[in-house]
Amino acid sequence: MTTKPEKPAVVKEPSMLKQKAMIARNYDKLTSAPETGKKVVSTYVPGNLNELIMCFDMLNNLPEINAIQNGLRKQSGNMIREAEKMGHSEDVCSYVKADIGAMARGAIAPNGKPMPPPDLLLLSYTGCFTFLKWFELLRDEWGCETVMLQVPYDGDGKVTDNMRDYVVKQLKEEVIPAMERISGVKFDIDRLRENLKHSAAAEDDFVWVLQSAMNKPSPIDAYFGGVFYIGPIFTAFRGTEDAVDYYKLLRQEIEERIAQGKGPITPEGEMGEEKYRLVVEGPPNWTHFRDFWKMFYDEGAVVVASTYTKVGGVFDFGFRHDPENPLESLADYCLGCYTNRNLPDRVAMIENYMEAYQADGLLINSIKSCNSFSAGQLLMMREIERRTGKPAAFIETDLVDPRYFSAANIRTRLESYFQMIEQKRRPAGAPTPVAA
Amino acid sequence: MASPKTTEAIVAHCEALFGDLDFTAARRWKDAEPGRKVIGYMPIYVPREIIHAGGMLPLGILGGGDNIEVIHGDAYYQSYICRIPRSTIELAITKRLDFVDGMLFPAICDVIRNLSGMWKLMRPEAYVRYFDVPQNFRDDLGGEYYINELRELIAGLEGVAGRKIPDDDIRRSIAVYNDNRRLVQRVYELRAKTPWKAPTSEVYLLLRAGMVLPVEDHSRLLEDYLATCEARDRPMRDNCRIVLQGTFCEQPPLSLIKAIELSGCYIVDDDFMLVTRWLLDDVAVDGDPIANLSRAFLHASAATAAKYEPDPAQKGAFLIETVRKRAAEGVIFASPSFCDPALLDRPMLAKALSRENIPYISFKYAENSGQMQPIREQAGTFADSIKLWSEA
């Protein structure tokens, strides 16, 4: 009988511990809102106006993040089934159903305490049609006030003055007055400027972190690790000193990794030799997140750039929140979020990553729930293959519905894909190695 | 164009147009004079008046229906995405849309939105515009944004037309479309009043003809249908009266409409081809025509799943009002599979109907659904239950 080797203890770096503490504190603040009297705003990751929300001493609750938390804890499946029993179609977004199912089960936050109802639904309609219906559905359940911020889609690949002016005017005449009324706090533009300064500082270090993957070996995994790195900046912490400190700390850790020639940290410790460098398009699956990641690091595959880490803001092409133009800057941030960009722009962005990060290929993780990402991905894949000459592959999973994760199928596809990359690397006419 | 003069001939003419996936009528229109241009548009709404004012033909593209074998289109879409974009791609790849000079993709959902980008990648030489609309309904906010969007649209269409589109021409086109809208409303009223005289399988085809014909020809067709239909003597059946909801984008097969009717239901209202009824009243013809189109959009347009409802108390009110106005006895939610707007909206509409004790059923379809027996049985059971258990 062979004994199973003991798993090495997972090393938690200081930045990981810091982020964990930040998230825990935020959930505690949210669940204690009924006692503290703080007002809760629910909003979305793309088009998240955290800097503005903080100006009113309100707390930011993000339903997608709650659905992700429930997915990671393998609780979302039952919630989705609950929502389907209530009449929600099996065809629609599983974030929505996980959220509605969670409400039906008492809306328990990850800290085990009930999540209070939101005081305001800030419908930042950015890059996803489902958002619009999602908040109509939540409004129907909670009966709370909803304010809409429509962010026009960047259909022609350029932000026009009309689009920007529309967003700014909505902020001035709809969003800010609603927040003032509900919070009882008068809007102070200097406070917003201060928050935006923090955002810009954190964004500088965040971009440095993402671009560290240009190194060989890459010190980070920009998809599976990347989803942790985007945590603070995409959620309730952008604009805080905490976020600035987090990204400084993270940067220092990665600088050390580069100096030591190390690759990314995985849940099972240091990753081995970097064999394949990939760009990934599409969100990850959350219900089998670690199994999914393991399929990559076991094969020496590291993701050097991903589009999902741009869903809550694209910062690596120069945009920074600008304290000198606070409302215009918030508008530009919303307008520039990844899924608010048209397909030609998305293809161009991926093509850029393929070159800049010296990737071996593109992998698309196509998500059943998310038409905003998924519709058109097969054409995107072909375009990238045509433009770069590098191989692309396509797998299908879902966000938080565990019924759509087929491990065996994905593993087989990935294995074939890695073989394809090997073949592309070999000079023409070289023999194919025989598997041992 | 001379219009056929009997109901049967009108319907046969419309059915021929419906079945012609080469869009021969639109091609003929284009070929009749040098320099003519055709602008395709997808559901749910575009201001056709502006295209018309530019001397161009607005051409409704509603997918390939159940008459096209999708071979290439499936290679562009995952299995969990609805069918209309894949059959539309099929139409493009098989060169059935090669005569179309521009395409408009209205703001309806993420799939159609992304199709606009796919079109840009696939046909870089064509004029392609994602047509965004306001979800804020204040004149000085959403209206201002929309007016500027319309001005941009006009500039783009002027580029295709090769000439300016003056306000006076837009005013004239608004008047032409007002006539058409009034005629469509008259057809809908006739059907609601005497559904045995104007079955939906015919009304549907009549509306579909309006997707490919010049508006003036379509209006004549509507007038002729009204004239011949009103004089028609057909037996009234003991059917129940239902509103069909959810069919605003991917179209149900004609056989599905017939199956519902054969099951014992009169469809007395629906949301097919809302572009013909999106604006509920006449658009003012005096003054700034763009501002008039904007006001009509903001304040007198149909409520549908693709629009935000700012007032929670009004959610479902438009549907309930339609049920009341048409003296309907129930609602059939027929939604295309994987249609986010229809399927996400349905629970809220169903809840509103329940509050008013209006019965409903729901099922899904695809534009190429072939097996109608289950739908006929479901609709028939619904009709029977209404007849047996309703208070009337």
mmCIF file of all heavy atoms in Angstrom, chain A residues 7-47:
data_model
loop_
_atom_site.group_PDB
_atom_site.id
_atom_site.type_symbol
_atom_site.label_atom_id
_atom_site.label_comp_id
_atom_site.label_asym_id
_atom_site.label_seq_id
_atom_site.Cartn_x
_atom_site.Cartn_y
_atom_site.Cartn_z
ATOM 1 N N LYS A 7 0.047 16.853 1.594
ATOM 2 C CA LYS A 7 0.007 18.095 0.808
ATOM 3 C C LYS A 7 0.813 19.162 1.539
ATOM 4 O O LYS A 7 0.683 19.295 2.761
ATOM 5 C CB LYS A 7 -1.442 18.586 0.699
ATOM 6 C CG LYS A 7 -2.174 18.034 -0.497
ATOM 7 C CD LYS A 7 -3.496 18.755 -0.643
ATOM 8 C CE LYS A 7 -4.303 18.154 -1.759
ATOM 9 N NZ LYS A 7 -5.639 18.761 -1.866
ATOM 10 N N PRO A 8 1.646 19.879 0.812
ATOM 11 C CA PRO A 8 2.368 20.957 1.492
ATOM 12 C C PRO A 8 1.376 22.015 1.982
ATOM 13 O O PRO A 8 0.355 22.269 1.323
ATOM 14 C CB PRO A 8 3.278 21.518 0.392
ATOM 15 C CG PRO A 8 2.667 21.085 -0.892
ATOM 16 C CD PRO A 8 1.902 19.818 -0.616
ATOM 17 N N ALA A 9 1.688 22.564 3.144
ATOM 18 C CA ALA A 9 0.797 23.599 3.686
ATOM 19 C C ALA A 9 0.790 24.799 2.733
ATOM 20 O O ALA A 9 1.833 25.166 2.178
ATOM 21 C CB ALA A 9 1.294 24.029 5.054
ATOM 22 N N VAL A 10 -0.378 25.332 2.526
ATOM 23 C CA VAL A 10 -0.483 26.488 1.633
ATOM 24 C C VAL A 10 0.153 27.691 2.321
ATOM 25 O O VAL A 10 -0.166 28.012 3.462
ATOM 26 C CB VAL A 10 -1.964 26.779 1.306
ATOM 27 C CG1 VAL A 10 -2.076 28.025 0.438
ATOM 28 C CG2 VAL A 10 -2.585 25.585 0.629
ATOM 29 N N VAL A 11 1.082 28.292 1.588
ATOM 30 C CA VAL A 11 1.744 29.473 2.157
ATOM 31 C C VAL A 11 0.893 30.694 1.825
ATOM 32 O O VAL A 11 0.595 30.959 0.669
ATOM 33 C CB VAL A 11 3.158 29.642 1.554
ATOM 34 C CG1 VAL A 11 3.848 30.865 2.139
ATOM 35 C CG2 VAL A 11 3.976 28.378 1.790
ATOM 36 N N LYS A 12 0.478 31.373 2.839
ATOM 37 C CA LYS A 12 -0.288 32.605 2.616
ATOM 38 C C LYS A 12 0.668 33.785 2.709
ATOM 39 O O LYS A 12 1.281 34.006 3.751
ATOM 40 C CB LYS A 12 -1.384 32.748 3.677
ATOM 41 C CG LYS A 12 -2.449 31.660 3.615
ATOM 42 C CD LYS A 12 -3.582 32.089 2.716
ATOM 43 C CE LYS A 12 -4.705 31.061 2.781
ATOM 44 N NZ LYS A 12 -5.692 31.274 1.737
ATOM 45 N N GLU A 13 0.775 34.501 1.636
ATOM 46 C CA GLU A 13 1.640 35.669 1.645
ATOM 47 C C GLU A 13 0.931 36.818 2.362
ATOM 48 O O GLU A 13 -0.302 36.837 2.462
ATOM 49 C CB GLU A 13 1.983 36.052 0.212
ATOM 50 C CG GLU A 13 2.719 34.927 -0.500
ATOM 51 C CD GLU A 13 3.781 35.414 -1.433
ATOM 52 O OE1 GLU A 13 3.501 36.372 -2.145
ATOM 53 O OE2 GLU A 13 4.880 34.838 -1.438
ATOM 54 N N PRO A 14 1.712 37.795 2.864
ATOM 55 C CA PRO A 14 1.083 38.903 3.604
ATOM 56 C C PRO A 14 -0.042 39.596 2.823
ATOM 57 O O PRO A 14 -1.048 39.983 3.405
ATOM 58 C CB PRO A 14 2.258 39.853 3.859
ATOM 59 C CG PRO A 14 3.457 38.960 3.874
ATOM 60 C CD PRO A 14 3.179 37.856 2.896
ATOM 61 N N SER A 15 0.115 39.737 1.508
ATOM 62 C CA SER A 15 -0.942 40.414 0.742
ATOM 63 C C SER A 15 -2.234 39.604 0.761
ATOM 64 O O SER A 15 -3.337 40.162 0.784
ATOM 65 C CB SER A 15 -0.498 40.646 -0.708
ATOM 66 O OG SER A 15 -0.339 39.409 -1.368
ATOM 67 N N MET A 16 -2.099 38.279 0.743
ATOM 68 C CA MET A 16 -3.302 37.431 0.782
ATOM 69 C C MET A 16 -4.017 37.610 2.117
ATOM 70 O O MET A 16 -5.237 37.718 2.174
ATOM 71 C CB MET A 16 -2.927 35.952 0.612
ATOM 72 C CG MET A 16 -2.307 35.593 -0.715
ATOM 73 S SD MET A 16 -1.866 33.833 -0.692
ATOM 74 C CE MET A 16 -0.911 33.700 -2.187
ATOM 75 N N LEU A 17 -3.225 37.623 3.190
ATOM 76 C CA LEU A 17 -3.821 37.772 4.522
ATOM 77 C C LEU A 17 -4.472 39.152 4.649
ATOM 78 O O LEU A 17 -5.551 39.286 5.222
ATOM 79 C CB LEU A 17 -2.754 37.588 5.603
ATOM 80 C CG LEU A 17 -2.117 36.193 5.625
ATOM 81 C CD1 LEU A 17 -0.920 36.154 6.563
ATOM 82 C CD2 LEU A 17 -3.136 35.129 6.023
ATOM 83 N N LYS A 18 -3.815 40.137 4.059
ATOM 84 C CA LYS A 18 -4.379 41.496 4.143
ATOM 85 C C LYS A 18 -5.721 41.561 3.419
ATOM 86 O O LYS A 18 -6.692 42.095 3.931
ATOM 87 C CB LYS A 18 -3.398 42.514 3.554
ATOM 88 C CG LYS A 18 -3.963 43.942 3.557
ATOM 89 C CD LYS A 18 -2.929 44.991 3.271
ATOM 90 C CE LYS A 18 -3.553 46.377 3.205
ATOM 91 N NZ LYS A 18 -4.237 46.801 4.427
ATOM 92 N N GLN A 19 -5.750 40.967 2.208
ATOM 93 C CA GLN A 19 -7.008 41.025 1.452
ATOM 94 C C GLN A 19 -8.126 40.270 2.187
ATOM 95 O O GLN A 19 -9.266 40.715 2.241
ATOM 96 C CB GLN A 19 -6.828 40.447 0.049
ATOM 97 C CG GLN A 19 -8.114 40.543 -0.741
ATOM 98 C CD GLN A 19 -8.030 40.139 -2.215
ATOM 99 O OE1 GLN A 19 -9.033 40.153 -2.892
ATOM 100 N NE2 GLN A 19 -6.864 39.797 -2.723
ATOM 101 N N LYS A 20 -7.767 39.134 2.754
ATOM 102 C CA LYS A 20 -8.760 38.336 3.478
ATOM 103 C C LYS A 20 -9.364 39.171 4.626
ATOM 104 O O LYS A 20 -10.580 39.180 4.838
ATOM 105 C CB LYS A 20 -8.081 37.080 4.021
ATOM 106 C CG LYS A 20 -9.044 36.013 4.456
ATOM 107 C CD LYS A 20 -8.327 34.754 4.865
ATOM 108 C CE LYS A 20 -9.346 33.774 5.444
ATOM 109 N NZ LYS A 20 -8.716 32.605 6.026
ATOM 110 N N ALA A 21 -8.478 39.878 5.316
ATOM 111 C CA ALA A 21 -8.947 40.696 6.444
ATOM 112 C C ALA A 21 -9.822 41.848 5.939
ATOM 113 O O ALA A 21 -10.841 42.192 6.561
ATOM 114 C CB ALA A 21 -7.751 41.238 7.208
ATOM 115 N N MET A 22 -9.437 42.432 4.803
ATOM 116 C CA MET A 22 -10.241 43.534 4.242
ATOM 117 C C MET A 22 -11.640 43.054 3.894
ATOM 118 O O MET A 22 -12.647 43.712 4.189
ATOM 119 C CB MET A 22 -9.553 44.087 2.969
ATOM 120 C CG MET A 22 -8.310 44.924 3.240
ATOM 121 S SD MET A 22 -7.215 45.086 1.781
ATOM 122 C CE MET A 22 -8.181 46.094 0.689
ATOM 123 N N ILE A 23 -11.703 41.884 3.261
ATOM 124 C CA ILE A 23 -13.013 41.359 2.842
ATOM 125 C C ILE A 23 -13.869 41.030 4.069
ATOM 126 O O ILE A 23 -15.058 41.350 4.124
ATOM 127 C CB ILE A 23 -12.821 40.111 1.937
ATOM 128 C CG1 ILE A 23 -12.193 40.522 0.607
ATOM 129 C CG2 ILE A 23 -14.146 39.389 1.699
ATOM 130 C CD1 ILE A 23 -11.727 39.374 -0.269
ATOM 131 N N ALA A 24 -13.228 40.418 5.056
ATOM 132 C CA ALA A 24 -13.975 40.052 6.281
ATOM 133 C C ALA A 24 -14.531 41.310 6.949
ATOM 134 O O ALA A 24 -15.691 41.336 7.380
ATOM 135 C CB ALA A 24 -13.059 39.287 7.229
ATOM 136 N N ARG A 25 -13.704 42.347 7.015
ATOM 137 C CA ARG A 25 -14.161 43.604 7.640
ATOM 138 C C ARG A 25 -15.330 44.196 6.879
ATOM 139 O O ARG A 25 -16.289 44.691 7.456
ATOM 140 C CB ARG A 25 -13.018 44.627 7.647
ATOM 141 C CG ARG A 25 -12.138 44.565 8.889
ATOM 142 C CD ARG A 25 -11.387 45.887 9.097
ATOM 143 N NE ARG A 25 -10.604 46.318 7.952
ATOM 144 C CZ ARG A 25 -9.370 45.890 7.669
ATOM 145 N NH1 ARG A 25 -8.772 45.018 8.455
ATOM 146 N NH2 ARG A 25 -8.718 46.338 6.599
ATOM 147 N N ASN A 26 -15.261 44.093 5.550
ATOM 148 C CA ASN A 26 -16.341 44.676 4.758
ATOM 149 C C ASN A 26 -17.649 43.922 4.969
ATOM 150 O O ASN A 26 -18.718 44.529 5.099
ATOM 151 C CB ASN A 26 -15.966 44.692 3.272
ATOM 152 C CG ASN A 26 -16.921 45.539 2.463
ATOM 153 O OD1 ASN A 26 -17.134 46.705 2.782
ATOM 154 N ND2 ASN A 26 -17.518 44.962 1.436
ATOM 155 N N TYR A 27 -17.563 42.589 5.003
ATOM 156 C CA TYR A 27 -18.788 41.820 5.265
ATOM 157 C C TYR A 27 -19.329 42.120 6.670
ATOM 158 O O TYR A 27 -20.545 42.196 6.866
ATOM 159 C CB TYR A 27 -18.544 40.323 5.056
ATOM 160 C CG TYR A 27 -18.734 39.906 3.607
ATOM 161 C CD1 TYR A 27 -17.687 39.385 2.864
ATOM 162 C CD2 TYR A 27 -19.970 40.065 2.971
ATOM 163 C CE1 TYR A 27 -17.852 39.027 1.526
ATOM 164 C CE2 TYR A 27 -20.143 39.719 1.640
ATOM 165 C CZ TYR A 27 -19.091 39.197 0.921
ATOM 166 O OH TYR A 27 -19.265 38.852 -0.404
ATOM 167 N N ASP A 28 -18.431 42.297 7.613
ATOM 168 C CA ASP A 28 -18.901 42.639 8.968
ATOM 169 C C ASP A 28 -19.599 43.997 8.975
ATOM 170 O O ASP A 28 -20.620 44.186 9.632
ATOM 171 C CB ASP A 28 -17.726 42.632 9.964
ATOM 172 C CG ASP A 28 -17.291 41.204 10.299
ATOM 173 O OD1 ASP A 28 -18.080 40.270 10.052
ATOM 174 O OD2 ASP A 28 -16.157 41.028 10.790
ATOM 175 N N LYS A 29 -19.028 44.923 8.210
ATOM 176 C CA LYS A 29 -19.669 46.247 8.130
ATOM 177 C C LYS A 29 -21.056 46.125 7.501
ATOM 178 O O LYS A 29 -22.014 46.759 7.954
ATOM 179 C CB LYS A 29 -18.821 47.188 7.255
ATOM 180 C CG LYS A 29 -17.682 47.851 7.963
ATOM 181 C CD LYS A 29 -17.097 48.895 7.002
ATOM 182 C CE LYS A 29 -15.710 49.300 7.407
ATOM 183 N NZ LYS A 29 -15.022 50.063 6.362
ATOM 184 N N LEU A 30 -21.129 45.324 6.455
ATOM 185 C CA LEU A 30 -22.417 45.173 5.760
ATOM 186 C C LEU A 30 -23.455 44.534 6.670
ATOM 187 O O LEU A 30 -24.586 45.028 6.780
ATOM 188 C CB LEU A 30 -22.244 44.320 4.494
ATOM 189 C CG LEU A 30 -21.621 45.001 3.279
ATOM 190 C CD1 LEU A 30 -21.205 43.978 2.222
ATOM 191 C CD2 LEU A 30 -22.600 45.998 2.658
ATOM 192 N N THR A 31 -23.082 43.453 7.329
ATOM 193 C CA THR A 31 -24.087 42.728 8.127
ATOM 194 C C THR A 31 -24.432 43.474 9.413
ATOM 195 O O THR A 31 -25.470 43.212 10.009
ATOM 196 C CB THR A 31 -23.613 41.295 8.452
ATOM 197 O OG1 THR A 31 -22.319 41.350 9.047
ATOM 198 C CG2 THR A 31 -23.553 40.434 7.203
ATOM 199 N N SER A 32 -23.562 44.394 9.819
ATOM 200 C CA SER A 32 -23.914 45.159 11.026
ATOM 201 C C SER A 32 -24.564 46.505 10.679
ATOM 202 O O SER A 32 -24.805 47.323 11.568
ATOM 203 C CB SER A 32 -22.676 45.371 11.906
ATOM 204 O OG SER A 32 -21.710 46.105 11.183
ATOM 205 N N ALA A 33 -24.877 46.709 9.394
ATOM 206 C CA ALA A 33 -25.490 47.993 8.983
ATOM 207 C C ALA A 33 -26.783 48.304 9.750
ATOM 208 O O ALA A 33 -27.008 49.465 10.112
ATOM 209 C CB ALA A 33 -25.733 48.004 7.481
ATOM 210 N N PRO A 34 -27.634 47.309 10.013
ATOM 211 C CA PRO A 34 -28.848 47.649 10.767
ATOM 212 C C PRO A 34 -28.532 48.267 12.128
ATOM 213 O O PRO A 34 -29.273 49.122 12.606
ATOM 214 C CB PRO A 34 -29.563 46.300 10.914
ATOM 215 C CG PRO A 34 -29.056 45.464 9.792
ATOM 216 C CD PRO A 34 -27.639 45.897 9.585
ATOM 217 N N GLU A 35 -27.429 47.836 12.754
ATOM 218 C CA GLU A 35 -27.066 48.400 14.071
ATOM 219 C C GLU A 35 -26.343 49.740 13.929
ATOM 220 O O GLU A 35 -26.586 50.667 14.690
ATOM 221 C CB GLU A 35 -26.157 47.444 14.844
ATOM 222 C CG GLU A 35 -26.817 46.129 15.271
ATOM 223 C CD GLU A 35 -26.768 45.066 14.191
ATOM 224 O OE1 GLU A 35 -25.665 44.766 13.714
ATOM 225 O OE2 GLU A 35 -27.840 44.564 13.789
ATOM 226 N N THR A 36 -25.461 49.813 12.936
ATOM 227 C CA THR A 36 -24.653 51.047 12.814
ATOM 228 C C THR A 36 -25.407 52.162 12.092
ATOM 229 O O THR A 36 -24.997 53.318 12.139
ATOM 230 C CB THR A 36 -23.357 50.770 12.022
ATOM 231 O OG1 THR A 36 -23.713 50.312 10.715
ATOM 232 C CG2 THR A 36 -22.498 49.728 12.713
ATOM 233 N N GLY A 37 -26.484 51.804 11.403
ATOM 234 C CA GLY A 37 -27.249 52.819 10.675
ATOM 235 C C GLY A 37 -26.652 53.166 9.319
ATOM 236 O O GLY A 37 -27.125 54.080 8.646
ATOM 237 N N LYS A 38 -25.582 52.464 8.938
ATOM 238 C CA LYS A 38 -24.984 52.742 7.619
ATOM 239 C C LYS A 38 -25.944 52.304 6.509
ATOM 240 O O LYS A 38 -26.660 51.308 6.656
ATOM 241 C CB LYS A 38 -23.679 51.953 7.467
ATOM 242 C CG LYS A 38 -22.573 52.413 8.385
ATOM 243 C CD LYS A 38 -21.740 53.464 7.715
ATOM 244 C CE LYS A 38 -20.538 53.835 8.578
ATOM 245 N NZ LYS A 38 -19.893 55.053 8.105
ATOM 246 N N LYS A 39 -25.935 53.044 5.439
ATOM 247 C CA LYS A 39 -26.792 52.703 4.302
ATOM 248 C C LYS A 39 -26.032 51.811 3.317
ATOM 249 O O LYS A 39 -24.831 52.006 3.111
ATOM 250 C CB LYS A 39 -27.262 53.969 3.583
ATOM 251 C CG LYS A 39 -28.011 54.941 4.475
ATOM 252 C CD LYS A 39 -29.335 54.389 4.934
ATOM 253 C CE LYS A 39 -30.089 55.401 5.791
ATOM 254 N NZ LYS A 39 -31.303 54.821 6.388
ATOM 255 N N VAL A 40 -26.762 50.872 2.746
ATOM 256 C CA VAL A 40 -26.132 49.895 1.859
ATOM 257 C C VAL A 40 -26.554 50.151 0.418
ATOM 258 O O VAL A 40 -27.745 50.291 0.128
ATOM 259 C CB VAL A 40 -26.518 48.458 2.276
ATOM 260 C CG1 VAL A 40 -25.962 47.433 1.279
ATOM 261 C CG2 VAL A 40 -26.019 48.153 3.689
ATOM 262 N N VAL A 41 -25.562 50.209 -0.443
ATOM 263 C CA VAL A 41 -25.813 50.340 -1.887
ATOM 264 C C VAL A 41 -25.424 49.020 -2.538
ATOM 265 O O VAL A 41 -24.323 48.529 -2.332
ATOM 266 C CB VAL A 41 -24.937 51.443 -2.512
ATOM 267 C CG1 VAL A 41 -25.177 51.552 -4.017
ATOM 268 C CG2 VAL A 41 -25.211 52.772 -1.853
ATOM 269 N N SER A 42 -26.312 48.448 -3.322
ATOM 270 C CA SER A 42 -25.927 47.298 -4.145
ATOM 271 C C SER A 42 -25.634 47.799 -5.545
ATOM 272 O O SER A 42 -26.400 48.608 -6.092
ATOM 273 C CB SER A 42 -27.060 46.269 -4.208
ATOM 274 O OG SER A 42 -27.074 45.492 -3.042
ATOM 275 N N THR A 43 -24.548 47.316 -6.098
ATOM 276 C CA THR A 43 -24.199 47.711 -7.462
ATOM 277 C C THR A 43 -23.379 46.594 -8.109
ATOM 278 O O THR A 43 -23.277 45.512 -7.533
ATOM 279 C CB THR A 43 -23.465 49.075 -7.481
ATOM 280 O OG1 THR A 43 -23.403 49.549 -8.815
ATOM 281 C CG2 THR A 43 -22.058 48.980 -6.914
ATOM 282 N N TYR A 44 -22.846 46.848 -9.300
ATOM 283 C CA TYR A 44 -22.148 45.796 -10.037
ATOM 284 C C TYR A 44 -20.656 46.081 -10.156
ATOM 285 O O TYR A 44 -20.235 47.236 -10.059
ATOM 286 C CB TYR A 44 -22.722 45.678 -11.453
ATOM 287 C CG TYR A 44 -24.154 45.261 -11.489
ATOM 288 C CD1 TYR A 44 -25.135 46.108 -11.978
ATOM 289 C CD2 TYR A 44 -24.549 44.010 -11.019
ATOM 290 C CE1 TYR A 44 -26.463 45.723 -12.010
ATOM 291 C CE2 TYR A 44 -25.877 43.622 -11.042
ATOM 292 C CZ TYR A 44 -26.827 44.483 -11.541
ATOM 293 O OH TYR A 44 -28.135 44.100 -11.573
ATOM 294 N N VAL A 45 -19.907 45.031 -10.440
ATOM 295 C CA VAL A 45 -18.456 45.178 -10.604
ATOM 296 C C VAL A 45 -18.125 46.050 -11.830
ATOM 297 O O VAL A 45 -17.383 47.027 -11.697
ATOM 298 C CB VAL A 45 -17.768 43.793 -10.676
ATOM 299 C CG1 VAL A 45 -16.325 43.919 -11.134
ATOM 300 C CG2 VAL A 45 -17.835 43.106 -9.306
ATOM 301 N N PRO A 46 -18.629 45.738 -13.032
ATOM 302 C CA PRO A 46 -18.371 46.676 -14.139
ATOM 303 C C PRO A 46 -19.157 47.973 -13.916
ATOM 304 O O PRO A 46 -20.367 47.937 -13.687
ATOM 305 C CB PRO A 46 -18.899 45.927 -15.375
ATOM 306 C CG PRO A 46 -19.067 44.510 -14.945
ATOM 307 C CD PRO A 46 -19.368 44.552 -13.475
ATOM 308 N N GLY A 47 -18.488 49.074 -13.961
ATOM 309 C CA GLY A 47 -19.161 50.346 -13.704
ATOM 310 C C GLY A 47 -19.371 50.591 -12.224
ATOM 311 O O GLY A 47 -20.248 51.369 -11.832
#
